[in-house]
Amino acid sequence: MSEPAAGPRLTDRQRLSWLRLIRTQNVGPASFRDLINRFGSAEVALEMLPELMISGGANRIVRIPSLAEAEAEMEAARRVGARFVGIGEADYPPLLRSMDNPPPMLAVRGNAAVFRLPGVAIVGARNASLAGIKMARMLAADLGRDGYGIVSGLARGIDTAAHQGSLLTGTVGVLAGGLDLPYPPENAGLCDDIAERGAIISEMPFGWQPRAQDFPRRNRLVAGAALGLVVVEAAQRSGSLISARLAGEMGRLVFAVPGSPLDPRAAGTNGLLKDGATLVTEASDISRAILPLTGMRAPDLPPFEDPPDFSATPPPGESDRAKVIEALGPTPVPIDEIIRHTGLHPAQVFMVLLELDLAGRLERHAGGNVSLVFGEG
């Protein structure tokens, strides 16, 4: 793999501001994008955050990470040979850009050229059978030889086997915690091996110990970084099935390896096959289905911090905020419906939603739907 082509780059000052903004509580990928679109730069958005939180009805103003804290995290990345990559930069995984609300910044360790390979995710049970481990390793090795990059979540069992099978051809490991805290700990050596030819990525802060709720977030990136996702073994209530559902929602292909009806580790994969997943017994089953997608053009790199002109639209007033909040409830609704119902300019609706989001009063759902956090109003 050669080095990625040159492209637009954040300045050091922009990178620090982006990192401070995305590390601020209540600022997620969607609100980060809206803030950049509204104010033109992360630096200006940071200055406006307190005012926006107050307008959204926040009970308290959350603390914004200091410049020194952002510089310390940058230094922590350098110590482990990692770097922070923004969504508009050439080293950012192109398939992730096509997700709903992709992470604005990723910590990356390794060779970003692996992101240019057409990706296939392989996931499955942690307590995998020997047959399942052998199958995952074989599929990863065969697909790697055919020019595919293998993506997985570095968990025990199937994930580990998939990474091991594709070490020589290129694999991407996605962590649920900080890049400096590989999980499980016994895969620290595997992370070092992956970084030699492939890459390890995480959207979480350095020093972050993964919690249960962080793994679905990790699974979303695993699914998003690939054209298709293969489940080798999975029980009925399995994180791998969450990955498969997320992959389907993103329009990725979903594959499953059949297993014995007597093995509970195959109940989830057999269920996926009943629901329409593509049956896999060899790597060619995957490559034949994915080959037509490999020529898909990645989305264009977004420009960096070019401020749009909002001068023609007045900012929302208190009556406008009341209309938007009245239209919201605990049930997710499309933003387009809110715009039609309130009769407000789209920019005004998006601004009120941004304020509510920053105040911790808005929940965003798949497909661009939003709802009020339960009990808020």
Side-chain angles (χ1 to χ4, degrees):
M1 287 178 289
S2 60
E3 288 301 318
R9 287 182 57 83
L10 290 166
T11 65
D12 291 344
R13 181 169 176 169
Q14 285 174 323
R15 202 177 305 278
L16 285 167
S17 295
W18 276 41
L19 186 59
R20 291 178 65 201
L21 186 59
I22 195 57
R23 293 292 188 249
T24 300
Q25 185 181 342
N26 295 341
V27 176
S31 51
F32 182 99
R33 178 200 62 217
D34 291 345
L35 284 163
I36 296 294
N37 288 342
R38 176 63 182 86
F39 297 108
S41 75
E43 194 167 349
V44 176
L46 288 165
E47 296 174 2
M48 296 301 299
L49 280 180
E51 180 180 327
L52 295 172
M53 292 174 187
I54 292 171
S55 296
N59 295 323
R60 63 180 182 87
I61 304 303
V62 301
R63 193 181 71 82
I64 298 170
S66 67
L67 179 61
E69 288 171 317
E71 289 173 337
E73 189 171 0
M74 291 282 189
E75 178 57 32
R78 283 190 286 270
R79 283 198 297 269
V80 298
R83 61 201 182 281
F84 286 97
V85 178
I87 191 172
E89 297 187 283
D91 283 359
Y92 192 93
L95 282 172
L96 287 185
R97 290 202 298 267
S98 66
M99 292 169 49
D100 281 342
N101 301 320
M105 294 201 85
L106 288 173
V108 177
R109 179 186 173 207
N111 185 358
V114 71
F115 302 142
R116 290 188 293 155
L117 298 176
V120 177
I122 299 178
V123 299
R126 288 175 170 81
N127 62 332
S129 68
L130 290 177
I133 289 173
K134 181 178 179 181
M135 185 67 175
R137 192 176 288 124
M138 180 185 73
L139 290 174
D142 290 347
L143 287 166
R145 282 191 290 269
D146 288 342
Y148 293 89
I150 303 303
V151 185
S152 199
L154 278 161
R156 300 178 180 96
I158 298 300
D159 288 22
T160 294
H163 289 305
Q164 290 171 337
S166 52
L167 277 176
L168 298 181
T169 53
T171 184
V172 178
V174 186
L175 286 172
L179 209 64
D180 55 338
L181 293 175
Y183 185 87
E186 62 263 30
N187 273 352
L190 178 60
C191 286
D192 293 338
D193 294 338
I194 290 173
E196 289 186 13
R197 289 175 177 261
I200 306 292
I201 65 174
S202 174
E203 62 176 319
M204 305 305 287
F206 275 73
W208 187 271
Q209 289 280 1
R211 307 159 301 172
Q213 60 263 43
D214 296 324
F215 289 95
R217 188 168 176 173
R218 184 272 317 263
N219 295 348
R220 178 174 173 266
L221 295 190
V222 170
L227 293 168
L229 181 136
V230 187
V231 184
V232 177
E233 286 183 340
Q236 282 286 13
R237 299 177 64 84
S238 163
S240 298
L241 299 187
I242 295 175
S243 299
R245 175 179 58 78
L246 292 169
E249 290 175 353
M250 295 178 199
R252 279 30 172 183
L253 299 181
V254 178
F255 304 86
V257 175
S260 168
L262 301 178
D263 188 345
R265 289 171 294 196
T269 47
N270 290 342
L272 288 173
L273 292 170
K274 291 179 182 178
D275 290 339
T278 300
L279 186 146
V280 170
T281 59
E282 58 187 9
S284 61
D285 297 326
I286 303 163
S287 56
R288 273 197 304 266
I290 284 184
L291 185 60
L293 304 178
T294 57
M296 291 173 59
R297 185 171 178 271
D300 290 333
L301 296 174
F304 287 144
E305 305 192 346
D306 290 329
D309 182 11
F310 281 87
S311 58
T313 305
E318 287 305 316
S319 62
D320 301 326
R321 292 186 181 90
K323 287 180 182 178
V324 173
I325 292 172
E326 184 180 354
L328 289 165
T331 302
V333 294
I335 295 175
D336 287 347
E337 287 189 14
I338 300 173
I339 294 170
R340 284 194 295 268
H341 177 76
T342 60
L344 297 173
H345 191 282
Q348 294 174 312
V349 172
F350 276 99
M351 193 64 188
V352 175
L353 295 177
L354 175 59
E355 292 170 351
L356 293 171
D357 197 0
L358 295 173
R361 301 176 64 197
L362 189 78
E363 187 169 358
R364 297 183 185 265
H365 304 269
N369 295 340
V370 292
S371 66
L372 274 184
V373 174
F374 184 76
E376 297 286 353

